[in-house]
Amino acid sequence: MSKFYSSSLQKQSAELFDVSSDIDAFRGALLRQFQSLRQNSMTLAAPLSPEDWMVQSMEDASPIKWHLAHTSWFFESFILKIYDQDYKVFDDSFSYFFNSYYQQIGKMQKRSERGLLSRPSAQQVKDYRAHVDHAMAVLFENAEEDLLPKLKNLIDLGCAHEEQHQELMQTDILHGFYQNKDLPAAYEPLSPYKESVLHHISNDNKDRDCHDNGHQAGFDAEWISYPGGLVETGANLDEFAFDNEYPNHKYHLNPFELLSRPVSNRDYIKFINDGGYRNVQHWLADGWAYARAHNWEMPLYWRLGDDGHYYQYTLFGERRLNLDEAVRHVSYYEAFAYASWADAWLPTETEWEVAAASDCQDQFDKGHFLENGCPELSDHYIKRSLGDDHTHHGLQNMFGTVWEWTQSPYTPYPGYKPAAGAIGEYNGKFMSSQMILRGGSSATPKGHVRASYRNFFPPHVRWQFSGFRLAR
Amino acid sequence: MSKFYSSSLQKQSAELFDVSSDIDAFRGALLRQFQSLRQNSMTLAAPLSPEDWMVQSMEDASPIKWHLAHTSWFFESFILKIYDQDYKVFDDSFSYFFNSYYQQIGKMQKRSERGLLSRPSAQQVKDYRAHVDHAMAVLFENAEEDLLPKLKNLIDLGCAHEEQHQELMQTDILHGFYQNKDLPAAYEPLSPYKESVLHHISNDNKDRDCHDNGHQAGFDAEWISYPGGLVETGANLDEFAFDNEYPNHKYHLNPFELLSRPVSNRDYIKFINDGGYRNVQHWLADGWAYARAHNWEMPLYWRLGDDGHYYQYTLFGERRLNLDEAVRHVSYYEAFAYASWADAWLPTETEWEVAAASDCQDQFDKGHFLENGCPELSDHYIKRSLGDDHTHHGLQNMFGTVWEWTQSPYTPYPGYKPAAGAIGEYNGKFMSSQMILRGGSSATPKGHVRASYRNFFPPHVRWQFSGFRLAR
Amino acid sequence: MSKFYSSSLQKQSAELFDVSSDIDAFRGALLRQFQSLRQNSMTLAAPLSPEDWMVQSMEDASPIKWHLAHTSWFFESFILKIYDQDYKVFDDSFSYFFNSYYQQIGKMQKRSERGLLSRPSAQQVKDYRAHVDHAMAVLFENAEEDLLPKLKNLIDLGCAHEEQHQELMQTDILHGFYQNKDLPAAYEPLSPYKESVLHHISNDNKDRDCHDNGHQAGFDAEWISYPGGLVETGANLDEFAFDNEYPNHKYHLNPFELLSRPVSNRDYIKFINDGGYRNVQHWLADGWAYARAHNWEMPLYWRLGDDGHYYQYTLFGERRLNLDEAVRHVSYYEAFAYASWADAWLPTETEWEVAAASDCQDQFDKGHFLENGCPELSDHYIKRSLGDDHTHHGLQNMFGTVWEWTQSPYTPYPGYKPAAGAIGEYNGKFMSSQMILRGGSSATPKGHVRASYRNFFPPHVRWQFSGFRLAR
Amino acid sequence: MSKFYSSSLQKQSAELFDVSSDIDAFRGALLRQFQSLRQNSMTLAAPLSPEDWMVQSMEDASPIKWHLAHTSWFFESFILKIYDQDYKVFDDSFSYFFNSYYQQIGKMQKRSERGLLSRPSAQQVKDYRAHVDHAMAVLFENAEEDLLPKLKNLIDLGCAHEEQHQELMQTDILHGFYQNKDLPAAYEPLSPYKESVLHHISNDNKDRDCHDNGHQAGFDAEWISYPGGLVETGANLDEFAFDNEYPNHKYHLNPFELLSRPVSNRDYIKFINDGGYRNVQHWLADGWAYARAHNWEMPLYWRLGDDGHYYQYTLFGERRLNLDEAVRHVSYYEAFAYASWADAWLPTETEWEVAAASDCQDQFDKGHFLENGCPELSDHYIKRSLGDDHTHHGLQNMFGTVWEWTQSPYTPYPGYKPAAGAIGEYNGKFMSSQMILRGGSSATPKGHVRASYRNFFPPHVRWQFSGFRLAR
């Protein structure tokens, strides 16, 4: 098992150039942005074998190999085939194999059968990536000047798209390996992290186990108040955002409060111990039916050991559950039930965004994110947020810790129109029966999220790095 | 087959009394409200045999017998058992058989197996209704004075609940009989209606068939403009409303337009003929998958005859489709696809409510509703709305024509709290993966709906009297 | 609830006439055979309401109403429509509603949706039966002489067919009512039977409960030896038999032994208590998978009471399990596992038939059968078979007690050919993945079975009156 | 793609030694038998990549890697762990991963999830095989003398077991690759074969396409008569056979006839063209339901090209269908329907065995089998069987062409007892709802089958190399 990938992840340059002033610099910046993005995907995949790259454990998840090829297909289909008239398609079958859901482009491999693709091989997919990368580099160099702004937009989209798949590669391999009785580790932790975890388990946690009744839910956090009123939400226009973050629009909010940090594992165990999974009154009807049908008793990847402690399967293998981390791998249904049990609500996406936009402009650097050394949440940030002196300092861990379920279904903003053509299938057609999550997780590439960013998943889904915080 | 029920439906008194001023009159008004409500359910059931009362064609639908018993169980469980200490339970098993989904009350008959209940018999259910009715009458007479206001609230709820089931009785028997190859009529139409329909089919419609290309979608309707801005929605407190219509709250709306009438069958056929069911680009991803899996080609209950005309199965049997009626028995998915095809949107529930509240206070009398002689939509109102001189007069057919899908998922209003105890399961626990419909249909009892009324169903559902209008 | 039906069941005349010698007597005998058969079906149905007649609890079972109509349709389709040119079809739709599986006749009601047929009503089905009965009576009187032998064959077939459905009416309503939490009794037992059962429970059984270890499996039964050799099996030609009992053919058997009586409830409880349902080694792979998937712990209709006794749901309601009855409502899988646990085998159908044909010609009168006062097995016969002095007298309870699973799959006899036309679908097309049962049960009409009779059901099926005996 | 494996398959020595006379030679013969068997599995797997080794396209099929490991686990579990006290288990988890269905040994990987096992890797499985091979070689050398006969029996079983998996490796990868739109070839054909195929397609077949009406089904074959009578079937004791081929027993047969050769593709197309897949009267009820539910129109792996010719996917890729080959990849249901259409029967397993035992002792060399250069059937043998002069010479292609469905369900022979312990689960527990196939296919290792050999599969299964011949 190789060293963990984080140390070799490329920091994306935040270079912003004005096309009109320095074209060559602009071409170069585009190339660097693209190459570092593409390299990061390979860095995530590198510790895994070609056999690992094939694992598909459920229809929702895709094999690593498929992610690597699909993201290349995206650049090929929406940029190279359209804007590079000299581009030679690598393999005609690949558009069938690696189209995800763009019905307007053509037929595609059945989603549940992506894991059957032993061919094309891992090596062919690497070659495909190299082929696309090369063609893109040539295009950056040769594209006519007036194409460049358009290209920039598409590359921003393609990079954001591949960043999404970088997170999915982690969630999907985690789920895939979880099916293996031996619970293999996908990655080898970096030493410092490893030590801190070991230290934590052996000392810090020893009297704070799951039967600890010394804390009320939210006791060690604070409620932050917001005045509400007429607010404006949605992406601003000076940076890249997905189409579903537009148009900007006004929204009226009642005054509200948010909890300063996400609900922790320690909090969540109190819910479990109080019979949270057995008490129908806290649950949505759909949620209760789903939880009973699937025998949910705890978050995904947890196991109650014979020693009375909870254990959690992670990308680094199974370890003792860190009680001071944000709870994750819970569904919207569980988040809802917890909030009801705690006599609170989940925030609406508007509340979350308004709070994040006003308080958290400096928090991107504090988030965990993928590049900060571990896709796992250490307790560093939460502890800091509590302060050694228990003085609190506003909202914490809004970005890069866990995706936070909101109570808002995924709907179009007033006036939203999907783009014309196949690219319009990217977001709009999923606006049904899904819930909004905000903030990004420790598996999210840094720079990928923003306050207006809208992630979305169906309410029963648990394999994402999804947690929540409370509102009232 | 007996005469249709509408002529014998009781008009509910709108009597409003002040408890403190005239207690006996108040008791009497309560009794009359209750009795006319209860009688109407039996009027709807009467033309159907005990065998018909058993039909359950899918898990979503319930047998007539079950509806009749469940609505009685509701009064028994939430009023008689609690407020009448002398009440004797009719049969202990009935709480198992006829509890719908109130988990806090106890175990219940599996929903999909309600149709297996040959016992209790139809006669026992009638006896059960009589038993509850008698006990309620006694309670109205004897309840202590300070209990009366509380009782009034619960009776309002119980009556509203039974009215919902009156509509469901119609939708469920329609769906049940539709499974029968002979397509039996549930009811015999009243003569005047019958004649008008026959007349309509023989004359009016003869040159206006489904291949008619003389109209564009919306050509014969007009767009009504609304300024938007900061509005207030939700129920006001001086009449009964469900808990999900509270609390009142402010909402900011962009300017918007609503189409003056619902989309008609004639409009909808244009969508079909333009390949609407074959063109993936108009559809939500879930909707497309569902429509393909179920081979949807047209609304539920339609059939394309060998003569090239569409036929529609109704509570009166199959008849030639009336092109001037509002399209109904379409899912949210189809409504969404139509709107996309028409380059428009479905209204949000707030837009709908604001428009209805401002323009339609006098429209309740114009609606069809259950009591107006037919559960079927005649073309009277739409024609009037068009005007013989094609002058239009604002919003038409907002109430009592078809339930109109909105683009709003069913979510709690800001600050919403379900009631404590089992009664709190009435609405709140269903706020997941359902869409709001507004306005009421020709199967809705008159007086049941209001501008703030929120109906909700999952987006794939078609057996309700559901149609839609456009916004932009 | 009316008195039980058995007292009014018609004893079928065994009249046999030679057509050529006395035609009128022949016509009369045909009529009496037909009418008593038809009356018996109504006797079985009479205590049940039109609502009860609609119950269909699973695809394998059919509503009483459907059985009553389908058996009439059989006479209509295979006799009246073909041989009575004046016959007027009662209702054209009925061939759709009540065709079971004769694909060559036309389309049919989906099997799983027979329970949705509130229409035609019970009364219409009664009228249908009367219509067919009348037409048949006319035909008996008027058929030309040379048609009579052919008619006799078809009426034998139609009567045997309806007798099969008389048994299914009992198994299907038993299963249907079992879904009802109140476990209603379908029939009221005759007093003598009732008393004997009460007596039995209060006295006889009191020290012989399920923890009784005084008997080994089979201890109180004996093994009867048969020499095997070259035998001939199959129906002889001088009485009616189904096509699947032909042609006669030779078979070579090794010497074998049969247990003198079926396995009893007392025996079977020893298997349960010895972990029979938990020990994979006794089970067929399919059986184990099925039993685990359905959480089988005991025969169908059994319940282990809080008092430690087993209770059994019957057509007369739930009662304490009679340990001295033959175990019934077990699948082939359970019979196989029991036999393996008991270090024995199930007999082949040839072994069973050879033994029955040689030893049991006088046992038809000793069997329970439907007409002997109860469809339930009393312990009368088993006790007698043991003798008060524990002297045994050969095979007991071969006929009319329980259908006995054999280890023989349902296959065609050498040279078997189904009849031409739709009637050929009666038996032949089911010769796949089913097992042979022999002997008839206490729900089988007397005179229906014979030594060569082959019943067949899939190996997982339990709702029939199916038990087994051992061989080695 | 490497050269096809057949040229490097080891011919198994048929050495038979008497343990008592020459122990060292016996040890050596055991070792050679074992090593050549083991090498052949690797030869079959070698052209496929570690990614290909993971493919599992349905629950019935297993990945190549799993086959390679499971067959090793078999030797480990039933020989090394029991008879070699010095044996060190390679990896404790492997018994979980690679136990197929031996419940008495312990829990196991869920069958449908064998394809998720990216770990253990292909390399680890190779190492596992080497580990087992080495331990076996040591055991052969060191086992005490009186253990050797017992060991010989177990090694015969283990080798027969692995030969079964060698055939499954071919059927499973064929099915797995068939899911890939590009229809990759698993193997590269040997040149001579390739040429003959090409030659065949370009010349021989040109006027003999699927619309050829010049032949009746069976025209170019002959019926061979057998007298029947009292026969003895089952394995003789002087060579290895599975327990299900015992005990020998007598059976009485009517006179019968067998068709001299299997039904060919040319024959089968006549059945298709005559509406065989549309005419319910030829089908078993289960078969018809299954065929309709799965839209069967032709054998598995066939495709009707736009040019009007049929194409067939094989281990060498897709090619034009060779009309003179035996039809294969048909289910029992299809074989039954064909036989009914042809007014014939499928043979019973006894008829087949008696005929094979009497006529075909010299045919093993004539069969195709795996080692004869192709797993595909060439037309060589059928052509020869017809003779250039169209004189026929008895039964042809009984062995090593296609597995031939018989009409016999898989049941125990009279007196059959499975072995004690886990090894007893090998065959006995599958004797339910499966049909017997006889003779071996072109994917069967030579020397694996014999006249008494009983293969078995459920009647709906098509992914095996299964065809059939007719009887009457």
Side-chain angles (χ1 to χ4, degrees), chain A residues 191-413:
Chain A
S191 302
Y193 174 71
K194 199 174 195 174
E195 282 167 15
S196 92
V197 169
L198 292 177
H199 174 77
H200 174 75
I201 289 177
S202 53
N203 300 322
D204 192 39
N205 220 5
K206 63 172 175 262
D207 300 322
R208 304 169 63 187
D209 68 11
C210 55
H211 301 298
D212 178 356
N213 289 313
H215 295 77
Q216 300 292 330
F219 172 81
D220 52 0
E222 65 175 340
W223 291 99
I224 318 286
S225 297
Y226 296 88
L230 202 60
V231 300
E232 186 154 343
T233 65
N236 57 52
L237 294 164
D238 54 354
E239 63 174 344
F240 171 78
F242 286 112
D243 63 350
N244 61 14
E245 301 169 49
Y246 296 104
N248 275 5
H249 61 287
K250 290 206 179 70
Y251 206 94
H252 183 271
L253 292 178
N254 290 346
F256 65 97
E257 296 181 332
L258 289 190
L259 204 61
S260 58
R261 60 159 179 78
V263 167
S264 69
N265 289 332
R266 185 186 307 280
D267 298 333
Y268 199 81
I269 287 170
K270 293 192 180 75
F271 168 70
I272 296 175
N273 290 344
D274 195 36
Y277 280 92
R278 295 286 167 189
N279 191 345
V280 66
Q281 82 180 91
H282 299 310
W283 291 73
L284 288 165
D286 284 357
W288 180 255
Y290 201 94
R292 290 301 86 217
H294 293 80
N295 298 310
W296 285 355
E297 305 283 353
M298 57 188 76
L300 181 62
Y301 302 133
W302 285 27
R303 177 175 67 81
L304 184 55
D306 294 334
D307 59 4
H309 293 294
Y310 283 100
Y311 289 79
Q312 181 180 38
Y313 178 60
T314 74
L315 287 167
F316 307 107
E318 192 178 65
R319 55 167 216 186
R320 175 116 167 249
L321 182 72
N322 183 337
L323 300 182
D324 287 323
E325 291 181 2
V327 69
R328 64 177 186 267
H329 300 300
V330 291
S331 65
Y332 173 75
Y333 294 141
E334 290 158 297
F336 181 97
Y338 181 96
S340 170
W341 168 81
D343 205 21
W345 279 103
L346 301 176
T348 64
E349 66 167 324
T350 312
E351 290 167 348
W352 196 99
E353 180 173 338
V354 164
S358 65
D359 277 11
C360 303
Q361 291 307 339
D362 63 339
Q363 288 221 3
F364 288 102
D365 291 334
K366 301 173 191 163
H368 299 279
F369 293 109
L370 180 56
E371 288 82 352
N372 280 343
C374 66
E376 298 300 302
L377 176 61
S378 80
D379 61 350
H380 177 70
Y381 297 98
I382 284 183
K383 278 166 129 178
R384 201 195 54 81
S385 82
L386 301 181
D388 290 335
D389 54 353
H390 282 254
T391 55
H392 304 291
H393 308 287
L395 287 178
Q396 300 294 339
N397 294 99
M398 290 288 274
F399 294 99
T401 300
V402 283
W403 285 103
E404 301 185 12
W405 288 109
T406 72
Q407 63 161 281
S408 299
Y410 181 36
T411 55
Y413 283 167

Side-chain angles (χ1 to χ4, degrees), chain D residues 265-286:
Chain D
N265 289 332
R266 183 185 308 279
D267 299 332
Y268 199 82
I269 287 169
K270 294 192 180 74
F271 167 71
I272 297 174
N273 289 344
D274 194 36
Y277 281 92
R278 294 287 168 188
N279 189 343
V280 67
Q281 80 180 91
H282 300 310
W283 291 74
L284 288 165
D286 285 356

Side-chain angles (χ1 to χ4, degrees), chain D residues 220-427:
Chain D
D220 53 0
E222 64 175 340
W223 290 100
I224 318 285
S225 297
Y226 295 88
L230 201 60
V231 300
E232 186 155 341
T233 66
N236 58 51
L237 294 165
D238 54 355
E239 63 173 346
F240 171 79
F242 285 113
D243 63 351
N244 62 14
E245 300 170 51
Y246 297 104
N248 275 4
H249 61 287
K250 291 205 179 70
Y251 205 94
H252 184 272
L253 291 179
N254 289 346
F256 65 96
E257 296 181 331
L258 289 191
L259 203 61
S260 58
R261 60 158 180 78
V263 166
S264 69
N265 289 332
R266 183 185 308 279
D267 299 332
Y268 199 82
I269 287 169
K270 294 192 180 74
F271 167 71
I272 297 174
N273 289 344
D274 194 36
Y277 281 92
R278 294 287 168 188
N279 189 343
V280 67
Q281 80 180 91
H282 300 310
W283 291 74
L284 288 165
D286 285 356
W288 181 254
Y290 200 93
R292 290 301 86 219
H294 293 79
N295 297 312
W296 286 354
E297 306 283 353
M298 57 188 76
L300 182 62
Y301 302 134
W302 285 27
R303 177 175 67 82
L304 184 56
D306 294 335
D307 58 4
H309 293 293
Y310 284 100
Y311 289 79
Q312 181 180 39
Y313 178 60
T314 74
L315 287 166
F316 307 106
E318 193 179 64
R319 52 166 218 188
R320 173 112 169 253
L321 182 71
N322 182 336
L323 300 182
D324 287 323
E325 291 181 0
V327 70
R328 61 178 188 268
H329 301 302
V330 291
S331 65
Y332 174 75
Y333 294 140
E334 289 158 296
F336 181 97
Y338 181 97
S340 170
W341 169 81
D343 203 21
W345 279 103
L346 301 176
T348 64
E349 65 167 325
T350 312
E351 290 166 350
W352 196 99
E353 181 173 338
V354 164
S358 64
D359 277 11
C360 304
Q361 290 307 337
D362 63 338
Q363 289 221 1
F364 288 102
D365 291 334
K366 303 172 192 164
H368 298 278
F369 293 109
L370 181 54
E371 288 83 352
N372 280 343
C374 67
E376 298 300 303
L377 177 61
S378 79
D379 62 348
H380 176 69
Y381 297 99
I382 284 184
K383 280 165 128 178
R384 201 196 55 82
S385 82
L386 302 180
D388 291 336
D389 53 354
H390 280 255
T391 55
H392 303 292
H393 308 287
L395 288 178
Q396 300 295 339
N397 293 99
M398 290 288 275
F399 294 98
T401 300
V402 283
W403 285 104
E404 300 184 13
W405 287 108
T406 72
Q407 62 161 281
S408 299
Y410 181 36
T411 55
Y413 283 167
Y416 169 73
K417 280 267 173 222
I423 200 78
E425 297 186 49
Y426 196 109
N427 275 313

Side-chain angles (χ1 to χ4, degrees), chain A residues 51-52 65 93 118-119 182, chain D residues 51-52 65 93 118 182:
Chain A
E51 292 167 80
D52 295 334
K65 182 164 69 179
S93 293
S118 65
R119 304 178 183 196
D182 283 351
Chain D
E51 292 168 79
D52 295 334
K65 182 164 69 178
S93 291
S118 67
D182 282 351

